[in-house]
């Protein structure tokens, strides 16, 4: 009887639930998501435990200065290799994928050098345009961070291709342990903005190193650069990534970073600090759930397209699942944001809680649109994604401008920004489903 309970599906409600759970866990997609979620959750647990200490050590202005630096890096880092690393998952041949790695690393090196030269020539102009006097001394760290970002993108996509999700999860945890621990340890003696900026600039390089170290220790396959596929051939074959995906990623990153740069310019570093801590906290569920699902969903939807499966159904199920999971954490922040932030981070961060209500609304719908965004390259809809991202960027600039020039209020600016972001993300989901239906019919 006991063996039957553990080895076979018993009758009744609990028996049926047990059977369904066992069937779900047998699916590689579910197992891989659990692996990624576990690593990300452990990393975020460290961040959540140490964040109240960090916010009390450094304060809103220091966070604002760090946020301005991260905003500049976040605009450029996603296009460190012109998004070619995203194509690493697509080829059937490992040799071709390795050729894309070689191409990506070459491009990231060139872009890092170009950014350094631009900063060298236009250093003061960049500071004046964005009102970045507080972070001016750290601008030369940007090319270094871009180069590290290129290496990390290549490493992440190769591990996704090889389905080495355990390595990625472990590296995510150890990176959080080292970076957050360093911020706290040094902050007890030197709680200055430069510590935050320097450690943040090294994060992606550290994670790439850890990934390569762990995969080597486990005896797994490392990519070895070869010249079987010429760079010219790969440039031509995957031209849609630099022509459509890279501009889209750049503009999307610009729209994500725009509030910090505009808040710094309009209302000062403290307002930027409020926004930075809000995004840091609200990105945790997005990273925990969204990135983990996305890293597994992307190769899954590519496989579905190759096997002529119904992609619309796949996107719909993933979107509904994310809505069920995300409604609770984001809903709590929308209702109790100011109280939660002042309780957890200190009374100086009450204003951040007001921001958090509106950013949580936008972040919830950004989480839901992740399956749609991951599916667009597979649906050959990157040109549409670029156009829609341009539209989103324009709307977000207008909303922030209205908040400042019409109402002269940072809170109204963030409210308009959050509401428009939620509506735009919902629109993207609906349009993507329409595109996928046409793709399934062909």
């Amino acid at each position: 009887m006991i063996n039957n309970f553990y080895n076979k599906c018993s009758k009744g409600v609990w028996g049926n639930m047990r059977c369904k759970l066992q069937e779900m866990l047998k699916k590689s997609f579910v197992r891989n998501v659990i692996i990624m979620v576990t690593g990300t959750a452990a990393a975020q647990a460290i961040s959540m435990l140490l964040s109240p200490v960090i916010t009390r050590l450094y304060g809103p202005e220091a966070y604002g200065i760090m946020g301005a630096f991260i905003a500049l890096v976040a605009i450029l880092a996603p296009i460190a290799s012109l998004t070619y690393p995203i194509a690493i998952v697509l080829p059937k041949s490992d040799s071709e994928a390795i050729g894309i790695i070689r191409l990506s690393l070459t491009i990231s090196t060139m872009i890092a050098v170009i950014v350094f030269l631009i900063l060298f020539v236009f250093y003061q102009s960049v500071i004046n345009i964005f009102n970045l006097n507080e972070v001016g001394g750290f601008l030369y760290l940007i090319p270094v961070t871009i180069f590290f970002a290129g290496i990390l993108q290549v490493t992440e996509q190769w591990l996704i291709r090889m389905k080495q999700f355990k390595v990625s999860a472990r590296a995510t945890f150890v990176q959080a342990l080292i970076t957050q621990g360093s911020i706290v340890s040094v902050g007890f003696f030197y709680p200055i903005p430069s510590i935050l900026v320097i450690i943040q600039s090294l994060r992606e390089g550290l994670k790439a190193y850890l990934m390569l170290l762990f995969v080597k220790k486990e005896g797994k396959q490392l990519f070895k650069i070869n010249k079987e596929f010429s760079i010219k051939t790969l440039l031509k074959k995957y031209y849609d990534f630099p022509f459509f995906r890279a501009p889209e990623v750049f503009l999307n990153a610009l729209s994500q970073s725009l509030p910090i740069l505009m808040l710094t310019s309009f209302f000062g570093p403290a307002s930027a600090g409020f926004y930075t801590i809000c995004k840091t906290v609200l990105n945790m569920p997005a990273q925990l759930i969204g990135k983990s699902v996305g890293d597994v969903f992307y190769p899954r939807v590519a496989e579905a397209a190759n096997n002529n499966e119904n992609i619309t159904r796949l996107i719909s199920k993933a979107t509904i699942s994310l809505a069920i999971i995300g409604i609770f954490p984001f809903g709590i922040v929308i209702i109790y944001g100011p109280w939660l932030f002042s309780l957890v981070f200190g009374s100086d961060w009450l204003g951040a809680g007001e921001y958090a209500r509106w950013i949580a609304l936008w972040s919830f719908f950004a989480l839901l649109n992740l399956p749609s965004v991951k599916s667009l390259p597979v649906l050959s809809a990157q040109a549409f994604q670029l156009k829609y991202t341009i539209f989103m960027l324009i709307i977000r600039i207008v909303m922030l401008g209205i908040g400042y020039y019409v109402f002269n209020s940072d809170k109204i600016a963030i409210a308009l920004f959050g509401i428009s972001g939620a509506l735009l993300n919902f629109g993207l989901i609906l349009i993507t489903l329409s595109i996928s239906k046409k793709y399934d019919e062909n």
Side-chain angles (χ1 to χ4, degrees):
M1 181 69 72
I2 295 175
N3 289 335
N4 287 339
F5 177 80
Y6 283 103
N7 298 324
K8 296 181 180 180
C9 295
S10 58
K11 295 180 180 180
V13 176
W14 292 108
N16 290 332
M17 289 179 62
R18 182 181 178 82
C19 280
K20 289 180 181 179
L21 180 60
Q22 288 175 344
E23 289 175 4
M24 285 180 61
L25 293 176
K26 288 178 182 178
K27 295 180 180 179
S28 60
F29 178 82
V30 175
R31 289 200 309 271
N32 291 334
V33 169
I34 291 172
I35 290 169
M36 295 295 287
V37 167
T38 302
T40 307
Q44 291 188 355
I46 293 171
S47 298
M48 284 300 294
L49 287 172
L50 296 180
S51 287
V53 180
I54 295 172
T55 52
R56 285 170 171 81
L57 284 173
Y58 292 92
E61 289 197 5
Y63 253 85
I65 293 170
M66 178 191 70
F69 174 81
I70 293 175
L72 288 173
V73 170
I75 293 170
L76 299 172
I79 58 167
S81 300
L82 297 181
T83 69
Y84 273 111
I86 300 173
I88 292 171
V89 176
L90 300 179
K92 293 182 179 180
S93 163
D94 282 348
S95 296
E96 185 172 347
I98 291 171
I100 298 172
I101 290 173
R102 175 171 162 248
L103 169 63
S104 301
L105 292 175
T106 302
I107 291 173
S108 64
T109 303
M110 293 172 60
I111 289 179
V113 171
I114 291 170
V115 170
F116 173 79
L117 294 175
I118 291 173
L119 287 174
F120 184 77
V121 176
F122 300 103
Y123 174 81
Q124 194 58 48
S125 298
V126 172
I127 291 176
N128 293 337
I129 291 172
F130 296 105
N131 191 23
L132 297 173
N133 294 305
E134 291 87 352
V135 297
F138 308 114
L139 290 182
Y140 286 112
L141 287 173
I142 293 177
V144 177
T145 308
I146 290 172
F147 179 70
F148 286 156
I151 296 174
L152 177 60
Q153 290 164 19
V154 164
T155 308
E156 283 183 329
Q157 294 301 318
W158 176 254
L159 292 180
I160 289 172
R161 177 182 177 85
M162 303 307 295
K163 298 184 179 179
Q164 296 297 320
F165 299 106
K166 289 183 180 179
V167 172
S168 297
R170 194 191 310 170
T172 300
F173 168 72
V174 176
Q175 179 213 38
L177 186 64
I178 294 173
T179 54
Q180 298 299 106
S182 299
I183 289 172
V184 171
S185 300
V186 180
F188 278 115
F189 303 99
Y190 302 102
I192 53 178
S194 59
I195 299 301
L196 295 173
V197 172
I198 292 170
I199 292 175
Q200 289 295 330
S201 68
L202 300 176
R203 287 180 74 253
E204 295 191 328
L206 173 63
K207 186 175 181 180
Y209 170 76
L210 290 170
M211 284 180 165
L212 293 172
L213 178 65
F214 293 156
V215 77
K216 187 176 180 181
K217 280 187 175 182
E218 291 194 4
K220 305 296 183 181
Q221 183 180 359
L222 283 168
F223 53 81
K224 296 180 180 179
I225 303 301
N226 61 50
K227 298 185 179 181
E228 184 175 336
F229 286 84
S230 70
I231 286 180
K232 184 177 180 180
T233 301
L234 294 171
L235 282 170
K236 185 177 180 180
K237 182 174 182 179
Y238 296 97
Y239 76 94
D240 55 327
F241 284 88
F243 276 93
F244 298 122
R245 188 59 181 264
E248 183 276 326
V249 169
F250 171 76
L251 292 172
N252 186 54
L254 180 62
S255 67
Q256 298 280 343
S257 299
L258 198 63
I260 296 177
L261 297 175
M262 293 183 73
L263 287 169
T264 302
S265 180
F266 292 162
F267 302 105
S271 293
F274 288 157
Y275 184 88
T276 300
I277 192 64
C278 286
K279 285 298 293 178
T280 300
V281 171
L282 294 171
N283 272 343
M284 287 183 180
Q287 286 288 321
L288 174 62
I289 305 164
K291 190 175 187 303
S292 300
V293 172
D295 285 348
V296 181
F297 185 81
Y298 180 43
R300 174 68 184 91
V301 76
E303 180 184 0
N306 291 331
N307 296 333
N308 296 319
E309 297 179 40
N310 190 300
I311 294 178
T312 303
R313 187 180 299 116
L314 197 63
I315 297 171
S316 299
K317 285 183 177 180
T319 303
I320 293 170
S321 298
L322 289 173
I324 294 171
I325 295 170
I327 189 68
F328 178 75
F330 288 114
I332 291 295
V333 175
I334 291 171
I335 298 171
Y336 300 109
W339 177 77
L340 282 173
F341 272 70
S342 60
L343 175 68
V344 175
F345 302 113
S347 58
D348 290 342
W349 297 90
L350 179 65
E354 297 288 348
Y355 283 26
R357 285 178 158 169
W358 303 106
I359 298 173
L361 180 66
W362 162 41
S363 297
F364 174 67
F365 283 94
L367 174 67
L368 300 194
N369 83 357
L370 194 142
S372 298
V373 171
K374 291 293 182 180
S375 301
L376 289 172
V378 179
L379 298 171
S380 301
Q382 297 193 105
F384 153 73
Q385 190 176 8
L386 172 59
K387 294 174 185 176
Y388 197 81
T389 301
I390 294 172
F391 174 68
M392 291 174 71
L393 176 60
I394 293 171
I395 296 298
R396 287 172 173 174
I397 292 174
V398 170
M399 291 300 104
L400 288 171
I402 290 174
Y404 175 68
Y405 290 107
V406 177
F407 297 99
N408 193 28
S409 169
D410 56 331
K411 293 179 182 177
I412 292 178
I414 292 298
L416 293 173
F417 185 84
I419 293 169
S420 63
L423 294 174
L424 289 166
N425 282 318
F426 183 65
L428 179 62
I429 294 169
L430 296 179
I431 296 172
T432 303
L433 288 172
S434 176
I435 294 171
S436 67
K437 286 179 182 178
K438 293 179 181 177
Y439 183 92
D440 289 331
E441 291 171 359
N442 294 333

